Amino acid sequence: MSIDFQMDAQGVVTLSLDAPGQTINTMDAAFRASIAAVADRLEAERAQLRGVIIVSRKKTFFAGGDLDELRSIPADGAEAFFQMVETMKRHMRRIETLGVPVVACLNGAALGGGWEVALIAHHRIALDKDKRQFGLPEVSWGLLPGAGGISKMVRLLGLQAAFPYILESQQFSAREGMAAGLIHALAQDEADMLAQAQAYIAAHPASRQPWDEDGYKLPGGAPNHPKVAQMLSVAPAALYEKTRGNYPAPERALAAMVEGAQVDFSTALRIESRYFTELCVGQVAKNMIGTLFFSMNEIKAGASRPAGFDKCTVQKIGVLGAGMMGAGIAWAAASRGVRVVLKDVDLSAAERGKAYSAKLLAKQVEKGRKTQAEADAVLARIQTTASLPELAGCEIVIEAVFENRELKAQVTREVEAVLGAEALFASNTSTLPISELAAASQRPANFIGLHFFSPVDKMQLVEIIRGQRTSPASLARAYDFVQQIGKTPIVVNDGRGFFTSRVFGSYVNEGMAMLGEGIPPAMIEAAGLQAGMPVGPLAVTDEVSLSLCAHIAAEARAALGSAYLAHPADAVLARMLDEFGRQGRAAGGGFYDYPEGAKKQLWPGLAAFAQAGKALPAMQELIDRLLFVQALDTARCFDEGVLESERDANVGALLGIGFPAWTGGTAQFLKQYGVAKAIARAEQLAAQHGARFAVPNWLRQQA
Ligand code: NAD
């Protein structure tokens, strides 16, 4: 049994959540069977029953739905799934309507289905920990809270106040829950929690849920209340601006909230179950759960880390170059307890890099996330210098100097001279092949790529690049370090632009190619956003800078010679730079103008690319091009051995490139599209637009 049942002499039943053979409680088949049995027994013992206390025997209260089960529901399994959900909810409902007080003792995280178990209770007591471990993350997995979460949160808080918890999966700490009225009491320890539960039961012999009370009114007003109605009339549009219609979960969740608020409670529960079922059988939830939950967990467990090496912890690293990236890397390491020697060409440059951490820390102190003493301790871990010998003793040195081959070779030689033979040397280059940079190293087995993303404090991904001669031991150490500083590693093999920069490049280049074909720039940008990319391809090129894009293309041309595949973006870049002198945002303007104090606007001069009489393509055509070009380039990375794992490709695409989460990643995009259909579509695109859409072997092999 997943739920242990104990009744004391006073008639108070303790239900202990304790899924056998598991470290966490989930809403699996065993739980469903147990909750039915528990409801039966409570009803049978109703005469003696004085109250119910729900506790957990695991470290956390309850982890939530069984995502493996939820992502495996076939398209034709909707009816059976709906009935199963309804049955489980009926048993949960039987417990909260017994007429005796039900108290939940939240000893640890209660998320998703776990929070819905907590919502069976009339009174929720939580250990006073400063951890955001309560809430409903379902929408972020492409699902919705279908075990009463929507109907109850709306009835507890009102429609508008419930929005962030459901539509944005906002999680909360015990104290935040108290302030919102979601948690009723705080406890210092488990004994205190149980004592409070007993006291509550003694003082409230007949408890009901607020929505079962006579005269219950929806907080904030019913949907037809003029103020609420006004808010609801704009809510779908506001939501669409975020989802662009790609994410059914928040849309269905909103519908379940609003429709459920207009009917009686049991009808609301049924509406919620229907939308939940629709999402569970749909493809988007499967894509999102597969990558954001399962692949991420595999990476956490070290899936791409070579086996057979002890886990290592780093005490001290060196960072070369205190510019944008170096400063961010120093921050990431120091804030996780690693000492950092931050070196630049002179001390003032190094100090400027350290000042970046000081700024982030000041903000954290201001927001109450860190005490001044904690902030000071982080800052004290960053030692600035302009002198090489101070790097002695660093276990890893990461170079983030200018993207220049000779300079990188020079610093490699200089630094290795002062490092121990065991030290790892990592380059943060975004484009230069690691094996070529390693040629400057005396110890190429210890040379590796650690590609951080900007801004480092916000971006979770680090792409680890294994050079031809990088040893497995070095890879294992790099993997451990990335995890030590709280980031998510993916592992790729060497190649031009590795995986992320290369695939990202295919996106910006496709946008420029479209411009070169005379497609209106506003339409190109809209297609990027509509596809789900965070920024349009032209806007993002401005951020990267057109000159850097041209430089990268020139490097590739020089290195590849006749093997270089000319790209229609090259001519657009050349024209923008040579004819119009538009280098990008930092240089004052590129595809956009950046007027002071106003929103950026597409540069009117782009009219020069227009082609008179050109018929507008369909929007979907542009969306397909922007997504397929990245997905097919990913497939080519498998063909060329840059990628070995779909898991790392998908996670890297979502976290590093901003490829839309609804797809599950660039590799999953092709699979969920249907491999045969994807091949046919790629063939069409290749016929129209050239070899960059040609079908890679990897895709054919998936058929
Ligand atoms: P940046 O220009 O902001 O900083 C480079 C720093 O290196 C400067 O402070 C410079 O003084 C310093 N430097 C130059 N020579 C040095 C030397 N011999 N010793 C120590 N320091 C020296 O550059 P950035 O944007 O931080 O990029 C650094 C590296 O990171 C590049 O290889 C770049 O390709 C890569 N990268 C950049 C991004 C990005 O978004 N900017 C993302 C990923 C990787």
Side-chain angles (χ1 to χ4, degrees), residues 320 399-413 425 427-433 436-438 440 447 548 551-552 555:
L320 301 179
E399 73 77 11
V401 301
F402 302 127
E403 188 78 339
N404 175 300
R405 224 176 261 277
E406 289 72 38
L407 177 63
K408 289 194 190 284
Q410 181 200 326
V411 301
T412 304
R413 284 189 293 267
F425 190 95
S427 173
N428 181 50
T429 175
S430 27
T431 56
L432 301 169
E436 291 174 21
L437 294 179
F447 197 102
L548 182 59
H551 175 75
I552 293 169
E555 277 252 345

Side-chain angles (χ1 to χ4, degrees), residues 451-569:
H451 182 204
F452 287 80
F453 292 76
S454 169
V456 181
D457 62 302
K458 297 221 173 72
M459 297 289 283
Q460 199 191 340
L461 189 75
V462 176
E463 184 178 27
I464 304 182
I465 302 113
R466 176 166 41 194
Q468 273 158 18
R469 296 168 70 183
T470 305
S471 70
S474 296
L475 176 57
R477 283 167 68 197
Y479 201 101
D480 292 345
F481 168 67
V482 170
Q483 292 196 309
Q484 186 184 342
I485 62 170
K487 305 269 181 206
T488 300
I490 61 165
V491 177
V492 307
N493 291 316
D494 202 9
R496 191 153 291 283
F498 325 122
F499 163 56
T500 55
S501 303
R502 163 183 174 164
V503 170
F504 183 67
S506 71
Y507 171 66
V508 300
N509 281 339
E510 199 58 28
M512 287 190 272
M514 289 173 180
L515 187 66
E517 292 164 27
I519 295 170
M523 193 175 177
I524 300 169
E525 297 293 83
L529 296 176
Q530 193 74 33
M533 296 295 292
V535 189
L538 302 177
V540 83
T541 310
D542 268 7
E543 298 294 333
V544 174
S545 104
L546 280 68
S547 13
L548 182 59
C549 292
H551 175 75
I552 293 169
E555 277 252 345
R557 240 188 329 265
L560 297 174
S562 61
Y564 179 76
L565 258 187
H567 195 290

Side-chain angles (χ1 to χ4, degrees), residues 299 453 461 490 499-500 647-658:
I299 287 175
F453 292 76
L461 189 75
I490 61 165
F499 163 56
T500 55
R647 168 192 59 238
D648 289 19
N650 287 328
V651 168
L654 297 198
L655 268 49
I657 303 173

Side-chain angles (χ1 to χ4, degrees), residues 320 388 391-394 397 408-426 437-448:
L320 301 179
L388 274 171
L391 292 166
C394 289
V397 169
K408 289 194 190 284
Q410 181 200 326
V411 301
T412 304
R413 284 189 293 267
E414 285 171 358
V415 171
E416 277 187 353
V418 302
L419 291 183
E422 289 301 304
L424 202 62
F425 190 95
L437 294 179
S441 169
Q442 293 292 314
R443 301 187 279 267
N446 294 5
F447 197 102
I448 199 161

